[in-house]
Amino acid sequence: MPEIAEVARVVYYLRQHLVGKTIRKVVAPDDNNVFGKAGTSGPAFEKALTGKTVEEVGSQGKYFWMVLSSPPHAVMHLGMTGWVQIRGIQTGYTRYVERTKGDREQWPPKFWKFHLETDGDPKVEVAFTDARRFGRVRLVDCPGKDIRKHSPLVENGPDPVVDKDRFTEEFLRKKMKSRHVPIKALLLDQTTISGIGNWVGDEILYQAKLHPEQYCDDFDDADIAALYKAICYVCDTAVEKLGDSDQFPEHWLFKHRWGKGKKDAATTLPNGDKITHITVGGRTSCVVPSVQKKRGRTTIDDVKEESASPDETESRFFKGKGKNKKQANGKEDVEERPNKKARTAKSKPAKKEEEEVEVEKESNPTPRASRKSNKQKKEDEQERDEEEEEEAKPAPKASRRTSKQKKEEKPSEPPLELGRRRSSRLSRVAA
């Protein structure tokens, strides 16, 4: 993500090539993210800039703006992948140029969100590009000198390079003592200090020899003084070099931090100190443990204390969800989950037997009964007559069973009948 140094580079080139020029033409197709989420639209942006003269270009942290000859003025944020290109001029820093080397001759450039051109000869052509569309372009309707008194700039903290009168050691001390968050998270908070992003924050903490997980209110005055000095040093140097990493000092962590997840990448500094990556405040942080030692409370310490506490009755985040709930009489309520139904050894084979029987029935269907001869018919009739005579005789009540009762008794056959049927079938097959 472009940070304070990269924004300073964009501002530098806009001041060189656009200030004092009148915008003759603007093309800005509407984009619900880039324009829409900033409260404006592409057509409105076109109308606001066309025919205006660019009088000034300024920046505060990650925001930059163009003060026009009359309001509204354009205020922009580069987001994750945004950039400003000028036709015929290499505005990108080295790593940016490497990523876009195949698009140098294309104009408007790939992923452009608006492009404009000035009058006069030679004309200047400028384009705002953003591949991932996290950048924001908005219009602020106010006098140019009051632009920092309006949203979104007014909600942001001082710029450590531009606002030397506001960003002091005492200002930093008050902010650190009034919060209880990891120091890395405090540095990334744009409402506290503008312009510090992930790599700048890691470089500052490395130069100050402070661990990113340590709480900001747990540093002494010497640590705060070292941190303030590191913020000024890193930000001033990065802005002075216009974000060109080729010109950064060789002893900076920046030169060696980009090896995470890359094959054959260096995992140590030239002097052998190990480089590790941890997550702090939801962001990946590059740390050299031998240099950045923990000297106070950290987020890891809090987690250990909470897990080791035997008397905790509630979860840290959800009330009433703790594992060890206690009653008023001092006895613990032990809530056990119901055990899963154990599988019996018989259940699986029984199912298998049923399937085998069904397969056998399907593979060997019962043949249709052939037509009976006349002799067989007569024998069957005689047997039925004998059975009817026997049924007509009175039988004891206890032994009398109706056909309905027999049907009801059928399901109560022992479950092992299936096994006996299987055994007899196997014996027939063996025979």
Side-chain angles (χ1 to χ4, degrees):
M1 172 187 282
E3 302 178 28
I4 188 170
E6 291 81 6
V7 171
R9 186 180 186 89
V10 167
V11 170
Y12 170 80
Y13 283 105
L14 289 177
R15 283 173 176 167
Q16 272 197 334
H17 299 278
L18 202 58
V19 172
K21 303 287 179 64
T22 300
I23 300 171
R24 184 181 67 85
K25 179 184 177 183
V26 182
V27 180
D30 201 12
D31 188 298
N32 291 332
N33 283 3
V34 177
F35 296 104
K37 289 188 177 180
T40 187
S41 65
F45 186 78
E46 290 179 2
K47 184 179 178 181
L49 269 68
T50 304
K52 303 284 184 68
T53 300
V54 180
E55 296 184 346
E56 183 187 343
V57 177
S59 68
Q60 177 185 330
K62 298 182 182 181
Y63 283 97
F64 65 101
W65 60 86
M66 295 188 297
V67 177
L68 306 175
S69 50
S70 62
H73 311 286
V75 178
M76 291 161 277
H77 190 291
L78 295 173
M80 293 289 291
T81 57
W83 197 249
V84 172
Q85 299 190 35
I86 300 175
R87 192 169 192 176
I89 306 294
Q90 183 179 315
T91 61
Y93 48 95
T94 305
R95 294 180 69 239
Y96 179 83
V97 172
E98 288 174 357
R99 292 199 304 266
T100 59
K101 58 185 176 182
D103 307 323
R104 291 179 185 175
E105 303 301 324
Q106 181 180 345
W107 195 269
K110 198 174 181 181
F111 305 119
W112 65 275
K113 299 307 166 189
F114 76 79
H115 66 88
L116 58 85
E117 61 182 54
T118 65
D119 59 6
D121 189 23
K123 66 181 180 181
V124 178
E125 296 181 77
V126 179
F128 181 98
T129 62
D130 187 5
R132 297 182 64 183
R133 300 169 65 214
F134 287 115
R136 297 291 178 261
V137 177
R138 72 189 73 216
L139 296 171
V140 177
D141 193 355
C142 70
K145 60 183 178 63
D146 296 332
I147 199 165
R148 295 188 65 182
K149 297 178 182 178
H150 290 73
S151 185
L153 302 174
V154 70
E155 290 91 2
N156 282 253
D159 184 306
V161 176
V162 176
D163 301 315
K164 294 291 187 183
D165 56 333
R166 290 179 58 201
F167 183 71
T168 62
E169 185 177 329
E170 184 59 27
F171 171 88
L172 180 63
R173 180 180 289 103
K174 287 180 179 178
K175 290 293 183 182
M176 291 174 66
K177 295 300 182 181
S178 64
R179 303 279 301 276
H180 183 67
V181 295
I183 186 60
K184 174 70 180 291
L186 183 79
L187 293 178
L188 296 182
D189 184 0
Q190 299 302 297
T191 63
T192 302
I193 308 171
S194 289
I196 298 177
N198 207 36
W199 79 259
V200 174
D202 285 347
E203 192 64 51
I204 289 169
L205 293 171
Y206 172 71
Q207 297 297 329
K209 299 181 180 180
L210 303 178
H211 198 280
E213 287 182 321
Q214 189 168 333
Y215 283 114
C216 63
D217 57 347
D218 203 33
F219 291 99
D220 57 26
D221 288 344
D223 290 333
I224 295 172
L227 180 61
Y228 175 76
K229 184 179 178 181
I231 292 173
C232 294
Y233 164 65
V234 172
C235 291
D236 287 343
T237 304
V239 168
E240 181 186 345
K241 304 301 181 185
L242 297 178
D244 187 354
S245 57
D246 292 343
Q247 300 183 46
F248 288 170
E250 289 299 321
H251 67 276
W252 275 23
L253 178 63
F254 183 95
K255 295 281 188 176
H256 314 282
R257 62 167 285 135
W258 306 105
K260 183 184 178 185
K262 294 181 181 178
K263 189 178 180 182
D264 301 327
T267 57
T268 61
L269 295 176
N271 62 1
D273 289 341
K274 186 179 178 181
I275 299 172
T276 62
H277 292 84
I278 60 175
T279 301
V280 183
R283 302 292 299 277
T284 299
S285 297
C286 186
V287 184
V288 181
S290 60
V291 176
Q292 300 166 260
K293 296 180 180 179
K294 299 176 182 178
R295 297 193 294 272
R297 286 173 57 83
T298 67
T299 54
I300 302 300
D301 296 332
D302 277 359
V303 172
K304 286 180 181 177
E305 286 180 10
E306 287 163 9
S307 61
S309 175
D311 299 327
E312 184 180 3
T313 59
E314 293 182 353
S315 168
R316 179 185 178 190
F317 300 106
F318 302 99
K319 293 183 178 180
K321 297 291 183 183
K323 290 182 180 179
N324 300 323
K325 296 181 181 178
K326 292 188 176 182
Q327 292 180 335
N329 58 7
K331 293 182 180 180
E332 294 184 358
D333 285 340
V334 180
E335 295 183 2
E336 295 183 357
R337 293 183 180 179
N339 294 329
K340 291 184 178 179
K341 190 176 181 181
R343 290 185 179 181
T344 60
K346 295 180 181 179
S347 59
K348 193 171 181 180
K351 188 175 180 182
K352 197 171 182 181
E353 290 170 5
E354 289 177 2
E355 291 175 355
E356 289 177 357
V357 171
E358 290 176 2
V359 170
E360 185 187 23
K361 286 180 180 180
E362 291 175 1
S363 58
N364 300 315
T366 305
R368 291 183 180 180
S370 57
R371 291 184 178 180
K372 296 181 180 180
S373 61
N374 293 333
K375 188 176 180 181
Q376 287 175 335
K377 286 181 179 180
K378 287 181 181 179
E379 290 177 356
D380 292 341
E381 288 176 0
Q382 288 176 0
E383 287 176 2
R384 280 200 300 272
D385 293 341
E386 290 174 0
E387 288 175 0
E388 288 175 0
E389 288 176 0
E390 287 178 2
E391 288 176 0
K393 292 178 183 180
K397 289 184 180 180
S399 62
R400 183 177 289 180
R401 293 182 182 180
T402 63
S403 58
K404 187 176 181 180
Q405 287 174 334
K406 288 179 181 178
K407 287 180 182 178
E408 289 176 351
E409 290 177 1
K410 250 184 181 179
S412 63
E413 290 179 358
L416 295 176
E417 181 65 19
L418 204 58
R420 291 202 296 273
R421 287 170 61 191
R422 181 173 181 272
S423 301
S424 61
R425 178 174 60 79
L426 290 175
S427 60
R428 286 200 304 274
V429 172

